[in-house]
Amino acid sequence: MAEILRLKEGCRISLDTILHEGYEISGNSITANVSIGKIEDVLIHFIAMHDEPLFFILELPAKADDEQEVKPGVVESLHRDVYYIDGCSREEAVAILEGIGSLLYNDGLSSFGFGGHKSSDEIMFGKYNVLQIYSRDISSFDGFLEEHKIERVDNLVTGWDVISKDNPGICSRYEEEGKSVFDIPEEFKDWGIYMAEQREE
């Protein structure tokens, strides 16, 4: 039996919905439910697989001032600010996790991950503990999640599948020692972090 999914601090689902770990493959991507206690090991495993320059990616909700109201207090669509640190070594990528991993893993509003500049492989961890892996050769990840006791399933049920008007999901900012993911762009200026674009959600 698959393990029960343990959600990050910044996300919860209103009703007593029980989600399980697991993953499914569609085309060139893997979608998985990964418990909070396993995400660091999964990310470090991905980093270790890639002997190439890596990039760190962080997606934060755009500031309220950047959102266009269609009427007072109502916006038609929300946006995300997308930040990158390019050209990381494997050691530097792991150092990012060692420095701010707890903030990244537990925050309920942001998404983050790593990718390879040469392979274009990418891993992203976001709301409700949904992990996504993209690759031009997804077969190179055969057995990857099984090493973390996360099994392939025929029909993965994620938090997004159970959220509804009657069963809302709640995502919130996670803080640790007075800091949150929104402090990362300033904190990592010396690492060359930059905002690349603003995307519509």
Side-chain angles (χ1 to χ4, degrees):
M1 181 69 179
E3 290 184 34
I4 292 173
L5 180 68
R6 305 296 178 192
L7 289 174
K8 56 174 73 181
E9 289 286 335
C11 288
R12 60 191 172 94
I13 297 169
S14 294
L15 298 182
D16 292 330
T17 305
I18 296 177
L19 298 171
H20 292 88
E21 290 188 324
Y23 76 92
E24 63 183 5
I25 300 174
S26 177
N28 289 325
S29 67
I30 294 171
T31 302
N33 284 337
V34 180
S35 286
I36 190 65
K38 293 183 180 179
I39 187 58
E40 182 168 272
D41 287 343
V42 170
L43 290 163
I44 289 174
H45 185 178
F46 176 93
I47 291 165
M49 286 174 63
H50 292 82
D51 186 13
E52 60 179 299
L54 300 168
F55 60 84
F56 168 71
I57 178 171
L58 174 66
E59 297 184 0
L60 299 176
K63 296 179 178 71
D65 293 348
D66 292 341
E67 302 294 6
Q68 229 174 359
E69 294 185 347
V70 291
K71 56 184 178 181
V74 179
V75 294
E76 196 167 75
S77 59
L78 296 173
H79 295 80
R80 299 179 77 75
D81 293 338
V82 183
Y83 294 87
Y84 287 95
I85 300 175
D86 290 328
C88 298
S89 67
R90 287 185 289 190
E91 292 76 17
E92 286 168 333
V94 171
I96 290 172
L97 295 180
E98 289 173 346
I100 55 171
S102 184
L103 282 179
L104 293 167
Y105 310 145
N106 284 292
D107 186 71
L109 301 177
S110 60
S111 299
F112 78 97
F114 296 91
H117 282 295
K118 292 180 181 175
S119 65
S120 298
D121 289 351
E122 191 172 315
I123 190 168
M124 289 291 291
F125 187 60
K127 293 179 181 178
Y128 307 111
N129 293 59
V130 176
L131 179 86
Q132 303 236 276
I133 297 172
Y134 307 93
S135 177
R136 289 186 293 226
D137 178 16
I138 205 66
S139 66
S140 65
F141 288 91
D142 287 350
F144 175 79
L145 288 168
E146 278 83 358
E147 290 192 37
H148 303 277
K149 299 183 179 175
I150 301 170
E151 302 297 324
R152 186 173 180 176
V153 297
D154 293 329
N155 183 29
L156 181 70
V157 178
T158 71
W160 294 108
D161 297 313
V162 299
I163 291 168
S164 67
K165 185 178 178 181
D166 297 323
N167 186 30
I170 299 166
C171 295
S172 60
R173 177 189 305 202
Y174 174 77
E175 292 192 2
E176 202 170 82
E177 297 178 358
K179 292 188 178 180
S180 77
V181 291
F182 294 91
D183 295 307
I184 292 172
E186 182 63 31
E187 296 261 327
F188 275 72
K189 270 187 175 176
D190 290 346
W191 284 61
I193 197 169
Y194 64 96
M195 192 175 102
E197 61 178 322
Q198 193 171 78
R199 293 179 189 160
E200 188 173 315
E201 283 195 8

